[in-house]
């Protein structure tokens, strides 16, 4: 693989550099392989990124070295990259919208190995959320199989309220559940998610916790409802993860969640994710077309 390559992507001239640089020392996985993965998965990934104010976890020195979370557009960003306005504690800020393949390749070439997006689009605005997300994080003594049990409880609870949700792995040790919404006020979405988490914690106290306090989480699954806040972002579908070996936040089927008896069954390499996409398509595709109203407070 060349150290540097000049290429044209959808009419944009890109200079891809340090392609042979090892970013995952445990496996020898290189920057060039990361760029290849993103180029191949882009047809599935981009629809879930488009129009959203992206944040990035960047690792210029590779995994195992110090990385950093970046929200501002990186220096030297081409003028053709679209930015959108997002709220922050310091007032409105510009963020990159990863709308197309040239933008995806540009940010990945800048060592943005992880991509995170909020639950709203620039088109609807930051106070109109079009996704409900529930982040399932196992505490000490629990693992992904426990998250699967809780995911099934949440699926049934949402179904009782008329909502279909769809699962993906976090790419680390947990699960993310998404329900597409007709744009709804951010506060209402957060309130609904919090009430759901607290109800499950009351009904299944040996398995579920709704508070972040670490002392409460041993042997349980933390149902993190706070990811629905406007300022929060969640690992995007298909993003690489900065784990010791290359991991992916990968969409999975409900049958896989139901049948999971070992975390390894829902742990996928980038190569496996590309194979799954070639065979099954985007398992989250219907998230882009679902039309669901957020239940009212009295429903």
């Amino acid at each position: 693989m060349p150290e540097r390559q000049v290429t044209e992507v959808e009419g944009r001239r890109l200079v891809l550099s340090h392609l042979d640089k090892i970013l995952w020392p445990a496996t020898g996985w290189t920057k060039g392989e990361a760029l290849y993965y993103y180029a191949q998965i882009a047809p599935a990934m981009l629809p879930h990124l488009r129009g959203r104010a992206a944040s990035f976890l960047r690792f210029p020195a590779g995994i195992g070295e110090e990385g950093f979370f970046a929200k501002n557009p990186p220096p030297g960003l081409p003028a053709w990259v679209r930015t959108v306005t997002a709220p922050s504690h310091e007032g409105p800020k510009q963020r990159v919208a990863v709308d197309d393949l040239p933008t995806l390749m540009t940010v990945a070439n800048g060592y943005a190995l992880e991509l995170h997006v909020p639950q709203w689009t620039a088109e609807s605005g930051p106070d109109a959320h079009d996704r409900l997300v529930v982040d399932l994080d196992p505490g000490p003594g629990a693992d992904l199989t426990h998250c699967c049990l809780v995911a099934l409880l949440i699926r049934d609870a949402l179904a009782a309220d008329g909502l279909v949700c769809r699962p993906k792995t976090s790419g680390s040790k947990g699960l993310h559940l998404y329900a597409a919404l007709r744009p709804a006020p951010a506060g209402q979405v957060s309130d609904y998610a919090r009430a759901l988490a607290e109800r499950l914690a009351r009904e299944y106290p040996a398995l579920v916790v709704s508070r972040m306090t670490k002392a409460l989480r041993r042997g349980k699954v933390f149902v993190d409802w706070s990811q629905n806040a406007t300022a929060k972002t969640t690992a995007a579908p298909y993003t690489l993860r900065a784990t010791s070996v290359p991991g992916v936040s990968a969409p999975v089927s409900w049958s896989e969640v139901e049948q999971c008896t070992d975390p390894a069954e829902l742990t996928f390499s980038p190569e496996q994710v590309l194979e799954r996409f070639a065979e099954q398509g985007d398992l989250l595709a219907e998230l882009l077309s679902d039309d669901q109203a957020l239940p009212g407070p009295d429903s």
Side-chain angles (χ1 to χ4, degrees):
M1 181 175 293
E3 193 276 340
R4 182 176 181 272
Q5 181 175 326
V6 180
T7 186
E8 185 173 294
V9 178
E10 297 181 352
R12 305 293 190 185
R13 182 179 181 273
L14 302 182
V15 180
L16 307 178
S17 61
H18 303 103
L19 298 178
D20 57 354
K21 184 173 184 176
I22 294 175
L23 297 183
W24 275 265
T27 61
W29 221 59
T30 65
K31 181 183 179 184
E33 288 173 295
L35 290 174
Y36 176 81
Y37 166 77
Y38 275 130
Q40 296 301 306
I41 203 62
M45 185 179 191
L46 286 171
H48 300 289
L49 298 173
R50 197 166 286 127
R52 299 182 188 273
S55 299
F56 312 106
L57 195 55
R58 298 179 62 197
F59 283 86
I63 306 303
E65 302 299 326
E66 186 175 357
F68 59 94
F69 203 64
K71 292 188 175 184
N72 295 327
L77 194 69
W80 46 260
V81 171
R82 185 166 80 106
T83 61
V84 297
T85 303
S88 77
H89 296 303
E90 301 172 348
K93 297 286 187 179
Q94 291 301 299
R95 305 285 185 245
V96 174
V98 184
D99 289 343
D100 51 36
L101 181 57
T103 301
L104 176 60
M105 298 304 289
T106 295
V107 297
N109 187 55
Y111 299 96
L113 302 184
E114 290 193 11
L115 288 78
H116 296 240
V117 290
Q119 316 316 322
W120 51 270
T121 67
E123 179 182 3
S124 296
D127 193 48
H129 287 209
D130 66 344
R131 289 179 182 173
L132 166 76
V133 63
V134 180
D135 181 0
L136 303 180
D137 185 15
D143 61 24
L144 186 57
T145 63
H146 297 86
C147 291
C148 289
L149 295 176
V150 176
L152 297 176
L153 297 175
I154 292 175
R155 179 188 65 177
D156 293 345
L158 291 177
D161 281 344
L163 294 177
V164 173
C165 67
R166 307 185 188 280
K168 71 176 177 70
T169 69
S170 69
S172 178
K173 56 183 180 178
L175 285 176
H176 297 155
L177 306 180
Y178 286 104
L181 301 174
R182 297 173 196 163
Q188 291 183 18
V189 179
S190 288
D191 288 347
Y192 176 84
R194 179 174 185 169
L196 172 66
E198 292 176 345
R199 184 172 83 243
L200 289 173
R202 290 193 302 270
E203 294 176 354
Y204 304 95
L207 182 60
V208 176
V209 61
S210 63
R211 295 167 58 192
M212 194 176 294
T213 308
K214 290 186 178 180
L216 302 175
R217 296 169 61 178
R218 179 165 296 278
K220 301 180 182 182
V221 174
F222 172 44
V223 178
D224 186 358
W225 53 269
S226 71
Q227 295 294 310
N228 294 283
T230 295
K232 291 288 190 73
T233 59
T234 306
Y238 298 105
T239 184
L240 295 170
R241 298 308 305 265
T243 44
S244 58
V245 299
V248 178
S249 184
V252 293
S253 68
W254 277 116
S255 62
E256 289 176 305
V257 173
E258 292 167 349
Q259 297 167 21
C260 182
T261 59
D262 187 314
E265 296 171 6
L266 294 184
T267 303
F268 305 105
S269 69
E271 293 80 9
Q272 289 173 316
V273 170
L274 290 176
E275 291 175 3
R276 286 166 62 85
F277 174 54
E279 294 170 359
Q280 305 174 25
D282 177 16
L283 293 178
L284 284 179
E286 293 184 16
L287 185 65
L288 302 167
S289 59
D290 286 341
D291 183 27
Q292 305 182 121
L294 180 72
D298 298 326
S299 61

